[in-house]
Amino acid sequence: MKGDVFVIEGGRSLFGRAELHGAKNAVLPMLAASVLTAAPVTVGDCPLISDVEDMIAVLRALGVDVAKKGREVTVSGAPSVTEIPAHLACAMRSSVFMLGALLASCGEVCLYSPGGCRIGARPLDIHLDGLAALGAKIEFGEDFVRCTAGKLRGTDIFLRYPSVGATENLLMAAVKAEGTTRLIGAAREPEILSLVRLLVKMGADISGEGTPVLTVRGVRELDGASVLPVKDRIVAGTVMAATAVCGGRVELSGADSSVMGAVISPFLGAHTFLVEHGGAITFESDGLLSPTDVTTGPYPLFPTDMQAPFMAAQCYASGMSTMRETVFEDRFAHVAELGKMGAKIALVGGTAYIDGSAGMHGAELSACDLRGGAGLVVAALGAKGRSSISGTVYIDRGYEDIEGLFSSLGADITRRRGG
Ligand code: UD1
């Protein structure tokens, strides 16, 4: 079966308003956390994307009840299964969140090789070492890992890297552990704050949120709760990147500039204008970009998820830009595709050198991962002529109706349905 293809006629300016919804990276761990109680947990403002659907499928496979009303997802009941089926685990990387959540609620969990984007090795050592420190027994099979624990006991856990997923997993494992857990060197992404807010509302005792040391005092039981996730700063940044290359003026409704400093700052220059007003950001660009030197890193540094969308914008800058990737060792699949559009990019180790003087034209492109695919959409929106982008299934994992979003702003983008 052939997949869908985006057909983009580049070169249209973007004007209008884009409404942001809950961040994928906040919603997924929040949904996983719902199994920590049998009482109803409601996450509102969920994006309508396939990763959320896949997480719902994982939860249903565990035997809990999931009701979805528009953007609101309510999970209730206790899990009756502790094994995450291989086909679901392979479809989505975020099934790893079930490690901490199921271990804490059921005392055991078995996870088959998790899937997700092909962006480097993505090991689980920090997650598993942390769970082991809490008292879990870890066993490896050929394609699965099983964790069991009679009782989890709080302790100091030193994270050798501020892994987002490991921080979230260990938080979920620790909230019902006996005694106090300190996550030292924890990640600080705003999406983690959304998870903390949900857990606290459920009755967890967590302090230090937003700092590298999270302290969790274990409680016996958690209750139901209803919360909203932080808005998606990566979707906001992707729209900014497209506006930067196309020129125009776009209002990002719901954008929270207090957590977007590193996303926003590389966009600021002589040819752009940004103003924050009443829960929205308006970004304006005349379509001319100055060269920039950007390095990705854990929050509050520039997010690796913005690397490809921003690199697409750097292809349009008036001179040499650099993009250094420090979070994932192999997140450059989009570079070869951008080259098909005329981009001159040299990869030296983890740094891309991007000569923006090349001039970008439409081409037949293939998305290989979620954010790389979004980068191709940005590049194609700014390019002269027509592009087609296959591999839309990756983009659909994290962007809700991306063609509708950009069409509403004046872009010429359509989805050609596959057979
Ligand atoms: C999350 C985000 C993803 C984002 C990434 C970094 C979700 C659902 N996904 O992914 O969009 O790109 O954060 O901001 O929130 N690592 C280890 N051992 C581990 C865990 C991680 O070596 O046990 C390494 C990874 O290989 C990677 C780096 O740490 O090089 C960052 O990974 P991590 O922060 O864990 O990313 P994810 O949680 O998978």
Side-chain angles (χ1 to χ4, degrees):
M1 198 175 86
K2 274 170 69 183
D4 294 356
V5 171
F6 289 136
V7 180
I8 299 175
E9 201 70 55
R12 302 263 190 105
S13 304
L14 303 182
F15 286 94
R17 182 173 161 275
E19 185 170 352
L20 300 173
H21 296 290
K24 165 181 98 73
N25 288 355
V27 166
L28 297 175
M30 289 164 90
L31 289 175
S34 65
V35 304
L36 290 164
T37 176
V41 171
T42 300
V43 181
D45 197 29
C46 293
L48 307 177
I49 55 176
S50 62
D51 260 14
V52 169
E53 290 305 324
D54 286 345
M55 183 52 106
I56 290 173
V58 169
L59 289 165
R60 287 193 172 130
L62 298 175
V64 294
D65 196 57
V66 186
K68 185 163 180 276
K69 253 197 334 209
R71 297 182 178 280
E72 200 175 271
V73 179
T74 301
V75 186
S76 46
S80 52
V81 174
T82 55
E83 187 174 296
I84 294 140
H87 69 282
L88 291 175
C90 288
M92 74 164 332
R93 164 87 186 176
S94 300
S95 41
V96 297
F97 295 130
M98 301 317 306
L99 284 178
L102 276 178
L103 191 61
S105 62
C106 305
E108 63 173 16
V109 54
C110 181
L111 174 75
Y112 284 84
S113 319
C117 284
R118 290 168 289 177
I119 47 170
R122 301 191 88 158
L124 290 178
D125 54 323
I126 303 172
H127 302 242
L128 297 175
D129 287 357
L131 295 176
L134 290 170
K137 185 174 154 213
I138 317 277
E139 296 163 85
F140 291 98
E142 202 174 297
D143 58 350
F144 68 85
V145 57
R146 186 192 309 278
C147 309
T148 44
K151 182 110 202 108
L152 292 170
R153 288 199 171 78
T155 187
D156 277 356
I157 300 174
F158 292 81
L159 285 82
R160 53 187 162 275
Y161 184 88
S163 156
V164 175
T167 300
E168 293 166 334
N169 236 332
L170 296 173
L171 265 175
M172 290 188 265
V175 282
K176 291 213 276 188
E178 199 176 272
T180 299
T181 302
R182 287 194 305 169
L183 302 181
I184 300 153
R188 293 184 277 159
E189 268 66 3
E191 293 75 20
I192 298 174
L193 292 193
S194 289
L195 174 66
V196 169
R197 212 172 303 129
L198 169 64
L199 292 171
V200 167
K201 227 170 164 190
M202 290 165 75
D205 182 346
I206 302 171
S207 56
E209 62 273 27
T211 78
V213 181
L214 287 165
T215 303
V216 186
R217 288 174 197 82
V219 296
R220 249 177 224 287
E221 288 302 325
L222 292 175
D223 207 350
S226 171
V227 284
L228 290 171
V230 66
K231 302 281 185 187
D232 201 316
R233 62 199 165 105
I234 307 301
V235 170
T238 304
V239 175
M240 287 175 71
T243 311
V245 301
C246 296
R249 188 173 198 273
V250 174
E251 180 185 319
L252 294 158
S253 164
D256 180 355
S257 64
S258 71
V259 296
M260 284 186 61
V263 172
I264 288 171
S265 62
F267 285 105
L268 301 180
H271 304 283
T272 56
F273 177 73
L274 185 137
V275 58
E276 199 195 348
H277 50 100
I281 286 176
T282 295
F283 179 65
E284 193 172 334
S285 162
D286 59 13
L288 300 170
L289 285 163
S290 308
T292 41
D293 296 304
V294 177
T295 301
T296 66
Y299 188 85
L301 301 177
F302 186 80
T304 173
D305 287 349
M306 272 303 295
Q307 185 248 104
F310 193 76
M311 191 193 292
Q314 288 176 311
C315 292
Y316 289 86
S318 56
M320 179 71 77
S321 293
T322 59
M323 175 60 80
R324 187 165 158 247
E325 173 60 60
T326 74
V327 180
F328 290 103
E329 79 279 12
D330 180 21
R331 202 176 198 180
F332 287 119
H334 47 284
V335 166
E337 298 303 299
L338 292 171
K340 292 179 188 165
M341 307 179 76
K344 283 208 281 196
I345 307 176
L347 273 180
V348 183
T351 302
Y353 292 80
I354 305 128
D355 178 357
S357 65
M360 299 282 282
H361 55 77
E364 218 171 280
L365 306 166
S366 175
C368 305
D369 60 74
L370 163 59
R371 305 300 174 186
L376 299 183
V377 171
V378 168
L381 289 170
K384 274 202 183 75
R386 174 176 293 212
S387 297
S388 61
I389 304 175
S390 60
T392 55
V393 64
Y394 293 111
I395 302 170
D396 292 338
R397 280 189 41 214
Y399 291 84
E400 171 179 330
D401 183 21
I402 197 168
E403 68 275 27
L405 167 68
F406 283 119
S407 300
S408 73
L409 299 174
D412 185 346
I413 170 171
T414 50
R415 181 188 292 260
R416 204 171 61 213
R417 298 271 168 200

